Protein backbone atom coordinates (compact mmCIF):
# COMPACT_ATOMS: atom_id res chain seq x y z
CA UNK A 1 0.00 0.00 0.00
CA UNK A 2 1.20 3.52 -0.83
CA UNK A 3 1.66 5.70 2.24
CA UNK A 4 0.11 9.14 1.85
CA UNK A 5 -0.35 12.02 4.22
CA UNK A 6 -4.03 12.54 5.09
CA UNK A 7 -4.29 15.05 7.92
CA UNK A 8 -6.80 17.09 5.92
CA UNK A 9 -9.16 15.85 3.20
CA UNK A 10 -10.90 18.81 1.55
CA UNK A 11 -14.30 18.35 -0.10
CA UNK A 12 -14.75 20.29 -3.35
CA UNK A 13 -17.97 20.22 -5.41
CA UNK A 14 -17.32 18.88 -8.89
CA UNK A 15 -20.08 21.15 -10.18
CA UNK A 16 -18.08 24.31 -9.36
CA UNK A 17 -15.22 25.09 -11.72
CA UNK A 18 -14.33 28.09 -9.56
CA UNK A 19 -13.87 25.98 -6.42
CA UNK A 20 -12.00 23.29 -8.33
CA UNK A 21 -9.56 25.87 -9.64
CA UNK A 22 -8.81 27.10 -6.11
CA UNK A 23 -8.55 23.68 -4.47
CA UNK A 24 -4.91 22.83 -5.39
CA UNK A 25 -3.61 25.92 -3.63
CA UNK A 26 -5.47 25.68 -0.33
CA UNK A 27 -2.91 23.46 1.41
CA UNK A 28 -4.98 20.33 2.04
CA UNK A 29 -3.10 17.05 2.03
CA UNK A 30 -5.84 15.52 -0.11
CA UNK A 31 -8.56 17.16 -2.20
CA UNK A 32 -11.51 15.09 -3.28
CA UNK A 33 -13.69 16.35 -6.08
CA UNK A 34 -17.20 15.33 -5.16
CA UNK A 35 -19.65 13.84 -7.64
CA UNK A 36 -21.98 12.44 -4.98
CA UNK A 37 -23.69 14.66 -2.42
CA UNK A 38 -22.26 17.92 -3.80
CA UNK A 39 -23.69 17.40 -7.29
CA UNK A 40 -27.37 17.50 -8.20
CA UNK A 41 -28.45 14.76 -10.65
CA UNK A 42 -28.60 17.26 -13.49
CA UNK A 43 -25.01 18.40 -12.78
CA UNK A 44 -23.26 15.03 -12.54
CA UNK A 45 -22.32 14.67 -16.23
CA UNK A 46 -20.85 18.18 -16.32
CA UNK A 47 -19.17 17.45 -12.98
CA UNK A 48 -17.26 14.58 -14.59
CA UNK A 49 -16.05 16.89 -17.34
CA UNK A 50 -14.96 19.47 -14.75
CA UNK A 51 -13.00 16.82 -12.86
CA UNK A 52 -11.25 15.59 -15.99
CA UNK A 53 -10.21 19.14 -16.80
CA UNK A 54 -9.00 19.76 -13.24
CA UNK A 55 -6.95 16.56 -13.15
CA UNK A 56 -5.37 17.08 -16.55
CA UNK A 57 -4.79 20.84 -16.55
CA UNK A 58 -4.20 22.03 -12.97
CA UNK A 59 -0.90 21.94 -11.07
CA UNK A 60 -1.65 19.93 -7.94
CA UNK A 61 1.88 19.88 -6.55
CA UNK A 62 2.06 17.38 -3.66
CA UNK A 63 -1.69 17.37 -3.09
CA UNK A 64 -3.27 13.92 -3.30
CA UNK A 65 -5.88 13.99 -6.08
CA UNK A 66 -9.09 12.12 -5.33
CA UNK A 67 -12.65 11.80 -6.62
CA UNK A 68 -15.71 10.73 -4.67
CA UNK A 69 -17.91 8.90 -7.14
CA UNK A 70 -21.57 8.10 -6.75
CA UNK A 71 -22.65 5.01 -4.87
CA UNK A 72 -22.64 1.54 -6.34
CA UNK A 73 -26.44 1.43 -6.16
CA UNK A 74 -26.88 4.48 -8.41
CA UNK A 75 -27.14 4.90 -12.19
CA UNK A 76 -24.07 7.18 -12.25
CA UNK A 77 -21.39 5.08 -10.53
CA UNK A 78 -20.16 3.03 -13.49
CA UNK A 79 -19.89 6.04 -15.79
CA UNK A 80 -18.14 8.06 -13.06
CA UNK A 81 -15.34 5.52 -12.81
CA UNK A 82 -15.02 4.61 -16.48
CA UNK A 83 -15.13 8.15 -17.89
CA UNK A 84 -12.79 9.75 -15.36
CA UNK A 85 -10.20 6.97 -15.26
CA UNK A 86 -10.22 6.59 -19.04
CA UNK A 87 -9.70 10.32 -19.61
CA UNK A 88 -7.58 11.31 -16.59
CA UNK A 89 -6.46 8.17 -14.80
CA UNK A 90 -2.79 9.08 -15.24
CA UNK A 91 -3.39 12.08 -12.99
CA UNK A 92 -5.71 10.45 -10.43
CA UNK A 93 -4.45 9.07 -7.13
CA UNK A 94 -7.55 7.87 -5.25
CA UNK A 95 -11.22 7.06 -5.74
CA UNK A 96 -13.46 7.45 -2.71
CA UNK A 97 -16.27 4.90 -2.48
CA UNK A 98 -19.40 6.10 -0.65
CA UNK A 99 -21.74 3.99 1.46
CA UNK A 100 -19.75 0.76 1.46
CA UNK A 101 -21.94 -1.92 2.99
CA UNK A 102 -19.80 -5.01 2.52
CA UNK A 103 -16.43 -6.22 1.27
CA UNK A 104 -18.11 -7.10 -2.02
CA UNK A 105 -18.68 -3.40 -2.73
CA UNK A 106 -14.94 -2.77 -2.49
CA UNK A 107 -14.24 -5.83 -4.64
CA UNK A 108 -16.41 -4.38 -7.44
CA UNK A 109 -14.35 -1.20 -7.59
CA UNK A 110 -11.10 -3.14 -7.36
CA UNK A 111 -11.98 -5.35 -10.33
CA UNK A 112 -13.24 -2.47 -12.48
CA UNK A 113 -10.14 -0.39 -11.76
CA UNK A 114 -7.85 -3.31 -12.53
CA UNK A 115 -9.51 -3.72 -15.93
CA UNK A 116 -9.30 0.00 -16.72
CA UNK A 117 -5.68 0.30 -15.59
CA UNK A 118 -4.71 -2.59 -17.87
CA UNK A 119 -6.73 -1.21 -20.77
CA UNK A 120 -5.21 2.28 -20.74
CA UNK A 121 -1.74 1.18 -19.60
CA UNK A 122 -1.54 3.03 -16.30
CA UNK A 123 1.89 2.92 -14.68
CA UNK A 124 0.49 3.39 -11.17
CA UNK A 125 -2.33 1.77 -9.22
CA UNK A 126 -5.25 3.99 -8.27
CA UNK A 127 -5.96 3.74 -4.56
CA UNK A 128 -9.31 3.45 -2.81
CA UNK A 129 -10.81 5.02 0.27
CA UNK A 130 -14.19 3.85 1.54
CA UNK A 131 -16.85 5.60 3.55
CA UNK A 132 -18.53 3.68 6.35
CA UNK A 133 -21.86 5.49 6.56
CA UNK A 134 -24.51 2.78 6.76
CA UNK A 135 -25.43 0.56 9.70
CA UNK A 136 -24.58 -2.51 7.62
CA UNK A 137 -21.21 -1.05 6.74
CA UNK A 138 -20.38 -0.32 10.37
CA UNK A 139 -21.20 -3.92 11.21
CA UNK A 140 -18.90 -5.11 8.42
CA UNK A 141 -16.14 -2.53 9.01
CA UNK A 142 -13.35 -5.05 9.61
CA UNK A 143 -14.19 -7.05 6.48
CA UNK A 144 -14.48 -3.89 4.40
CA UNK A 145 -11.13 -2.52 5.60
CA UNK A 146 -9.38 -5.74 4.58
CA UNK A 147 -11.21 -6.21 1.28
CA UNK A 148 -8.58 -5.00 -1.21
CA UNK A 149 -4.84 -4.36 -1.36
CA UNK A 150 -5.57 -1.05 -3.07
CA UNK A 151 -7.60 0.18 -0.08
CA UNK A 152 -5.72 2.99 1.69
CA UNK A 153 -8.18 4.47 4.19
CA UNK A 154 -11.52 4.03 5.89
CA UNK A 155 -13.63 7.13 6.52
CA UNK A 156 -16.37 7.59 9.10
CA UNK A 157 -19.39 9.20 7.43
CA UNK A 158 -21.44 10.53 10.33
CA UNK A 159 -24.14 12.22 8.28
CA UNK A 160 -25.58 9.23 6.46
CA UNK A 161 -24.66 6.89 9.30
CA UNK A 162 -26.73 8.90 11.78
CA UNK A 163 -29.67 8.70 9.36
CA UNK A 164 -29.13 4.96 8.87
CA UNK A 165 -29.09 4.48 12.66
CA UNK A 166 -32.12 6.78 13.07
CA UNK A 167 -30.11 8.82 15.55
CA UNK A 168 -31.54 12.11 16.80
CA UNK A 169 -28.88 14.61 15.75
CA UNK A 170 -28.72 18.19 14.53
CA UNK A 171 -27.28 19.39 11.22
CA UNK A 172 -23.79 19.17 12.72
CA UNK A 173 -24.37 15.46 13.48
CA UNK A 174 -24.44 16.08 17.24
CA UNK A 175 -27.19 14.83 19.58
CA UNK A 176 -30.16 17.19 19.88
CA UNK A 177 -30.30 16.60 23.64
CA UNK A 178 -27.77 16.07 26.40
CA UNK A 179 -25.69 12.92 25.88
CA UNK A 180 -23.00 11.58 28.21
CA UNK A 181 -19.57 11.53 26.58
CA UNK A 182 -18.70 11.40 22.88
CA UNK A 183 -21.83 10.55 20.88
CA UNK A 184 -19.67 9.00 18.13
CA UNK A 185 -17.23 7.09 20.34
CA UNK A 186 -18.36 3.59 19.36
CA UNK A 187 -18.34 4.30 15.63
CA UNK A 188 -15.02 6.11 15.86
CA UNK A 189 -13.39 3.31 17.84
CA UNK A 190 -14.73 0.72 15.41
CA UNK A 191 -13.36 2.58 12.38
CA UNK A 192 -9.93 3.08 13.95
CA UNK A 193 -9.68 -0.55 15.04
CA UNK A 194 -10.75 -1.81 11.59
CA UNK A 195 -8.23 0.46 9.88
CA UNK A 196 -5.37 -0.55 12.17
CA UNK A 197 -6.18 -4.24 11.81
CA UNK A 198 -5.94 -3.83 8.03
CA UNK A 199 -2.85 -1.62 8.17
CA UNK A 200 -4.54 1.42 6.57
CA UNK A 201 -5.49 4.96 7.59
CA UNK A 202 -8.56 6.14 9.50
CA UNK A 203 -10.24 9.45 8.63
CA UNK A 204 -12.79 11.19 10.85
CA UNK A 205 -16.15 12.58 9.80
CA UNK A 206 -16.95 16.07 8.39
CA UNK A 207 -17.90 18.94 10.70
CA UNK A 208 -20.47 21.12 8.87
CA UNK A 209 -20.32 24.08 11.28
CA UNK A 210 -17.24 25.56 9.61
CA UNK A 211 -17.69 28.99 11.23
CA UNK A 212 -17.00 27.57 14.70
CA UNK A 213 -13.29 26.92 14.34
CA UNK A 214 -12.72 26.18 18.02
CA UNK A 215 -15.44 23.54 18.02
CA UNK A 216 -13.86 21.99 14.95
CA UNK A 217 -10.47 22.00 16.66
CA UNK A 218 -11.93 20.23 19.72
CA UNK A 219 -13.56 17.68 17.43
CA UNK A 220 -10.23 17.11 15.68
CA UNK A 221 -8.52 16.71 19.06
CA UNK A 222 -11.00 14.03 20.13
CA UNK A 223 -10.48 12.07 16.91
CA UNK A 224 -6.71 12.45 17.10
CA UNK A 225 -6.60 11.10 20.66
CA UNK A 226 -8.41 7.96 19.46
CA UNK A 227 -5.83 7.42 16.72
CA UNK A 228 -7.38 8.92 13.58
CA UNK A 229 -4.89 10.06 10.94
CA UNK A 230 -6.93 13.00 9.68
CA UNK A 231 -10.32 14.56 9.19
CA UNK A 232 -12.55 15.79 6.42
CA UNK A 233 -12.70 19.52 5.77
CA UNK A 234 -15.82 20.99 4.22
CA UNK A 235 -14.36 24.50 4.07
CA UNK A 236 -10.83 25.82 3.38
CA UNK A 237 -10.72 27.44 6.85
CA UNK A 238 -10.71 23.98 8.43
CA UNK A 239 -7.60 22.79 6.55
CA UNK A 240 -4.88 24.46 8.67
CA UNK A 241 -6.61 23.32 11.86
CA UNK A 242 -6.67 19.68 10.76
CA UNK A 243 -3.08 19.87 9.53
CA UNK A 244 -1.95 21.17 12.92
CA UNK A 245 -3.97 18.85 15.14
CA UNK A 246 -3.06 15.65 13.29
CA UNK A 247 0.66 16.42 13.34
CA UNK A 248 2.85 15.51 16.34
CA UNK A 249 3.73 18.52 18.48
CA UNK A 250 7.40 19.54 18.98
CA UNK A 251 7.07 18.32 22.58
CA UNK A 252 5.85 14.91 21.44
CA UNK A 253 8.69 14.59 18.94
CA UNK A 254 11.26 15.62 21.56
CA UNK A 255 9.86 13.05 24.02
CA UNK A 256 9.98 10.34 21.36
CA UNK A 257 13.56 11.09 20.38
CA UNK A 258 14.76 11.32 23.99
CA UNK A 259 12.97 8.15 24.99
CA UNK A 260 14.19 6.22 21.95
CA UNK A 261 17.82 7.21 22.53
CA UNK A 262 17.70 6.38 26.24
CA UNK A 263 16.02 3.03 25.64
CA UNK A 264 18.47 2.01 22.92
CA UNK A 265 21.40 2.86 25.13
CA UNK A 266 19.97 0.78 27.99
CA UNK A 267 18.97 -2.05 25.65
CA UNK A 268 22.52 -2.41 24.37
CA UNK A 269 23.60 -3.24 27.93
CA UNK A 270 20.81 -5.79 28.39
CA UNK A 271 18.26 -3.62 30.20
CA UNK A 272 14.63 -3.90 29.02
CA UNK A 273 12.98 -1.28 31.22
CA UNK A 274 14.37 2.09 32.22
CA UNK A 275 13.34 5.35 33.86
CA UNK A 276 13.09 8.51 31.73
CA UNK A 277 12.30 11.73 33.59
CA UNK A 278 10.86 9.77 36.48
CA UNK A 279 8.65 7.52 34.31
CA UNK A 280 9.03 3.80 33.65
CA UNK A 281 9.68 3.06 29.98
CA UNK A 282 9.62 -0.43 28.48
CA UNK A 283 9.01 -2.14 25.13
CA UNK A 284 5.34 -1.08 25.05
CA UNK A 285 6.37 2.56 25.15
CA UNK A 286 8.65 1.99 22.17
CA UNK A 287 5.60 1.29 20.05
CA UNK A 288 4.27 4.76 20.92
CA UNK A 289 7.69 6.22 20.17
CA UNK A 290 7.69 4.54 16.76
CA UNK A 291 4.18 5.82 16.00
CA UNK A 292 5.10 9.40 16.89
CA UNK A 293 8.31 9.42 14.88
CA UNK A 294 6.65 7.78 11.88
CA UNK A 295 3.96 10.46 11.92
CA UNK A 296 6.58 13.15 12.19
CA UNK A 297 8.53 11.69 9.27
CA UNK A 298 5.43 11.62 7.05
CA UNK A 299 4.83 15.31 7.78
CA UNK A 300 8.26 16.70 6.89
CA UNK A 301 7.93 19.79 4.65
CA UNK A 302 10.47 18.53 2.10
CA UNK A 303 7.96 16.43 0.20
CA UNK A 304 8.60 13.12 1.99
CA UNK A 305 5.06 13.19 3.31
CA UNK A 306 3.66 12.75 -0.19
CA UNK A 307 4.51 9.62 -2.10
Amino acid sequence: MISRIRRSELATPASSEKMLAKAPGIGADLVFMDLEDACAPSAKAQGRANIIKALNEYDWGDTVRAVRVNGLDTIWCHDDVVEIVSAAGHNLDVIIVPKARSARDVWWFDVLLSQLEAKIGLTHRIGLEVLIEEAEGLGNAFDIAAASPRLEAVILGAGDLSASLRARVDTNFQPVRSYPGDFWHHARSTIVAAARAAGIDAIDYPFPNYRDEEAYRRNCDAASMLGFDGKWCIHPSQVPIANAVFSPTPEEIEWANTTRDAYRAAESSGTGAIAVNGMLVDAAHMRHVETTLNRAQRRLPDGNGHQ
Side-chain angles (χ1 to χ4, degrees), residues 115-136:
Q115 293 172 346
L116 288 169
E117 289 164 352
K119 179 180 179 181
I120 65 178
L122 278 190
T123 58
H124 74 283
R125 183 173 68 182
I126 296 171
L128 289 175
E129 297 184 10
V130 296
L131 276 152
I132 303 295
E133 47 187 343
E134 297 290 334
E136 183 180 357

Side-chain angles (χ1 to χ4, degrees), residues 14-213:
S15 56
S16 174
E17 289 189 82
K18 180 180 179 180
M19 291 185 181
L20 289 175
K22 291 181 178 180
I26 288 174
D29 293 330
L30 178 150
V31 170
F32 70 91
M33 293 163 275
D34 191 10
L35 281 167
E36 196 207 18
D37 291 347
C39 274
S42 60
K44 293 186 186 295
Q46 183 59 49
R48 292 185 202 122
N50 293 342
I51 288 172
I52 291 168
K53 176 183 177 181
L55 288 172
N56 288 339
E57 298 183 12
Y58 299 166
D59 180 3
W60 291 89
D62 288 331
T63 303
V64 178
R65 303 155 296 181
V67 175
R68 177 165 69 162
V69 298
N70 287 280
L72 190 55
D73 58 349
T74 72
I75 62 172
W76 304 289
C77 178
H78 183 268
D79 288 344
D80 288 347
V81 178
V82 173
E83 290 185 20
I84 291 171
V85 173
S86 296
H90 291 84
N91 298 314
L92 177 63
D93 298 312
V94 172
I95 283 180
I96 298 178
V97 178
K99 299 178 177 65
R101 292 176 169 84
S102 69
R104 185 175 177 82
D105 294 348
V106 182
W107 173 86
W108 185 92
F109 282 92
D110 191 341
V111 170
L112 180 57
L113 284 172
S114 295
Q115 293 172 346
L116 288 169
E117 289 164 352
K119 179 180 179 181
I120 65 178
L122 278 190
T123 58
H124 74 283
R125 183 173 68 182
I126 296 171
L128 289 175
E129 297 184 10
V130 296
L131 276 152
I132 303 295
E133 47 187 343
E134 297 290 334
E136 183 180 357
L138 187 62
N140 292 326
F142 282 81
D143 289 339
I144 290 171
S148 167
R150 71 169 77 233
L151 192 58
E152 299 179 10
V154 183
I155 308 160
L156 172 58
D160 279 292
L161 182 57
S162 58
S164 180
L165 296 172
R166 301 179 188 173
R168 299 178 67 184
V169 298
D170 59 23
T171 53
N172 206 44
F173 315 137
Q174 302 304 308
V176 296
R177 295 180 185 171
S178 177
Y179 184 88
D182 177 8
F183 185 79
W184 289 107
H185 181 78
H186 169 69
R188 278 173 156 172
S189 297
T190 299
I191 296 301
V192 169
R196 295 296 170 257
I200 61 178
D201 287 342
I203 308 301
D204 197 39
Y205 63 85
F207 195 82
N209 187 9
Y210 63 88
R211 293 182 177 176
D212 193 339
E213 294 184 1

